[in-house]
């Protein structure tokens, strides 16, 4: 075939593609990113194969022949016979096009096998298949059970998508761990969650010309794959668009009943214990809510504020705390607040006792007078959590009742009728400050910051801002505010 025939066939193919473009239904919009830095936006028919794509992009990227183009997606080179449907692409997916470098591959029993021949032998297999192939049950082969046989649910990943603000189906993607480029092929498929979630588990080959990658390859040290997930329920927002994998949420392909309600639903959450106890997502939310109400979450050094299997199994802590994003927004906000408070308390800090504040404060161990910084500004005693005062702390009524419980019995029914108005108590606590000497609640309704206690026999002069004895420093700094 001479050059004129090649050119004529190419032009005919291009015209055919352009004419068929108007007939494309359910067009797939993808981006093709070349190693030279240019990016193409294409509308493709999902039924087209990769060879058609190469024929379209080769002249636009400056390649003399489609055979010179190699298309990489999700850590695999796509061979010519694969259709776009088989690749499970989403809208605005990014494909990477690089110049092909055909070299012989060394294979056992066939040392001269070329990459072209290897492509002809192998079929495209997504990375997710090797990771999820253990998620579905093997159905029985007994002919007597043929009526009971069901088509198993297709295994899939689940992620928490911050853009969708919910649990979504996810897709596994891979890039170079050194340059974070997508033109990267893995040397082997991931075989377990550790391969995906932990760094430097799977090596590969990076097609980019970035200096760190070239240096690693020249030294015989191949770069490692960096796996990440995308939400499958909205169009891709680029290579930096990713979602958090919820590896404990699975399709209930084995039809295991929930340990709490005994219902069989899907998806479910499988705790990371040896037994793999299963709970439906509704019961998981109820479990978390009850533990939050009792403040029974556990703070661990490496995993943070988390829960373990409700059955009490050892080594069953939930490592990825984004699983608690399955909670309603108000409960997740409470979870975050409790986690922050527990962290502050474990670090030797204190929480502001002012109603409506609760700011976490890290203070010196021997510091008794604490002022709420970047919060409400309340000044309080670290020991009794009351307004700052001089002298020894005095227990409040609740603490005194607890201390003298053996000498004083309370009828619960009468106690319910004898409650002080909680709203009034809160208002008094917020709008007043105690005299540092006698603890009399004092309200400031204007004037300067120089306060004089009006309680008979006290008359202590103190500063409203500092809650200490009035001094010349207070007079110079904030006498009038």
């Amino acid at each position: 075939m001479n050059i004129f025939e090649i050119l004529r066939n190419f032009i005919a193919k291009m015209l055919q593609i352009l004419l068929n473009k108007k007939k494309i239904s359910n067009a797939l919009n993808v981006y093709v990113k070349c190693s030279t830095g240019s990016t193409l936006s294409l509308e493709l028919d999902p039924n087209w194969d990769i060879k058609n794509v190469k024929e379209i992009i080769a002249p636009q990227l400056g390649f003399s022949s489609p055979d010179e183009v190699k298309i990489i997606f999700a850590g695999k080179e796509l061979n010519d016979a694969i259709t776009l449907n088989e690749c499970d692409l989403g809208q605005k997916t990014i494909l990477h096009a690089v110049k092909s470098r055909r070299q012989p591959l060394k294979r056992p029993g066939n040392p001269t096998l070329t990459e072209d021949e290897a492509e002809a032998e192998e079929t495209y297999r997504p990375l997710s298949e090797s990771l999820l192939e253990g998620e579905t049950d093997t159905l029985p082969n007994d002919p007597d059970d043929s009526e009971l046989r069901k088509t198993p649910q297709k295994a899939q990943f689940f992620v928490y998508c911050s853009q969708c603000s919910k649990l979504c189906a996810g897709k596994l993607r891979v890039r170079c761990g050194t340059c974070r480029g997508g033109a990267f092929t893995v040397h082997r498929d991931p075989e377990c969650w550790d391969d995906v979630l932990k760094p430097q588990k799977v090596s590969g080959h990076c097609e980019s010309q970035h200096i760190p990658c070239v240096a690693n390859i020249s030294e015989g040290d191949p770069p490692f794959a960096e796996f990440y997930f995308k939400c499958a329920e909205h169009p891709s927002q680029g290579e930096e668009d990713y979602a958090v994998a919820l590896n404990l949420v699975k399709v209930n392909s084995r039809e295991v009943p929930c340990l709490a309600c005994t219902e069989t639903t899907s998806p479910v959450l499988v705790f990371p214990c040896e037994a793999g106890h299963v709970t439906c997502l509704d019961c998981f939310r109820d479990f978390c809510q009850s533990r939050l109400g009792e403040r029974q979450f556990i703070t661990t050094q490496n995993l943070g504020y988390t829960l373990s299997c409700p059955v009490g199994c050892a080594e069953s802590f939930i490592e990825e705390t984004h699983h608690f994003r399955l909670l309603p927004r108000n409960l997740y906000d409470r979870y975050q607040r409790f986690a922050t408070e527990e962290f502050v308390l474990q670090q030797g800090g204190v929480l502001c006792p002012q109603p409506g504040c609760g700011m976490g404060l890290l203070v010196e161990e021997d510091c008794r007078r604490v002022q709420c910084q970047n919060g409400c500004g309340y000044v309080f005693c670290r020991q009794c959590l009351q307004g700052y005062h001089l002298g020894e702390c005095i227990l409040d009524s609740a603490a005194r009742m607890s201390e003298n419980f053996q000498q004083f019995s309370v009828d619960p029914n009468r106690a319910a009728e004898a409650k002080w108005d909680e709203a009034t108590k809160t208002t008094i606590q917020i709008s007043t400050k105690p005299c540092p000497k006698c603890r009399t609640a004092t309200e400031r309704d204007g004037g300067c910051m120089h306060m004089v206690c009006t309680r008979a026999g006290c008359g202590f002069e103190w500063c409203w801002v500092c809650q200490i004895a009035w001094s010349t420093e207070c007079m110079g700094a904030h006498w009038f505010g």
Side-chain angles (χ1 to χ4, degrees), residues 425-440:
K425 288 174 60 179
T426 301
T427 301
I428 292 174
Q429 186 172 356
I430 292 175
S431 61
T432 66
K433 291 185 179 182
C435 169
K437 183 176 181 181
C438 68
R439 282 101 166 163
T440 299

Side-chain angles (χ1 to χ4, degrees), residues 9-141:
N9 292 338
F10 175 73
I11 294 175
K13 188 71 173 180
M14 291 296 296
L15 289 174
Q16 182 182 1
I17 292 173
L18 292 174
L19 291 174
N20 290 337
K21 187 174 182 181
K22 296 180 181 180
K23 301 179 183 180
I24 294 176
S25 60
N26 191 26
L28 186 66
N29 180 249
V30 300
Y31 295 100
V32 179
K33 192 172 182 179
C34 184
S35 56
T36 59
S38 57
T39 302
L40 303 177
S41 177
L42 303 175
E43 280 194 356
L44 306 175
D45 189 325
N47 294 317
W48 287 351
D49 56 30
I50 297 301
K51 185 176 181 180
N52 295 140
V53 179
K54 290 182 178 180
E55 291 172 347
I56 294 173
I57 66 175
Q60 298 185 56
L61 296 177
F63 293 102
S64 59
S65 168
D67 294 335
E68 292 185 357
V69 183
K70 180 164 66 173
I71 296 181
I72 296 174
F73 172 67
K76 298 287 188 69
E77 179 184 350
L78 305 180
N79 60 54
D80 291 349
I82 296 296
T83 65
L84 297 176
N85 268 331
E86 293 177 288
C87 299
D88 193 25
L89 304 179
Q91 293 292 343
K92 299 184 179 180
T93 294
I94 297 178
L95 304 176
H96 292 266
V98 298
K99 188 170 183 178
S100 178
R101 300 180 181 88
R102 300 298 178 187
Q103 294 178 354
L105 296 177
K106 294 182 179 180
R107 298 285 185 87
N110 191 359
T112 61
L113 187 67
T114 65
E115 291 187 9
D116 289 320
E117 293 168 335
E119 280 187 358
E121 287 186 355
E122 298 177 358
T123 58
Y124 176 75
R125 184 170 184 257
L127 291 174
S128 56
E129 286 188 6
S130 58
L131 190 60
L132 290 174
E133 58 189 5
E135 300 293 332
T136 55
D137 272 345
T138 301
L139 297 176
N141 293 320

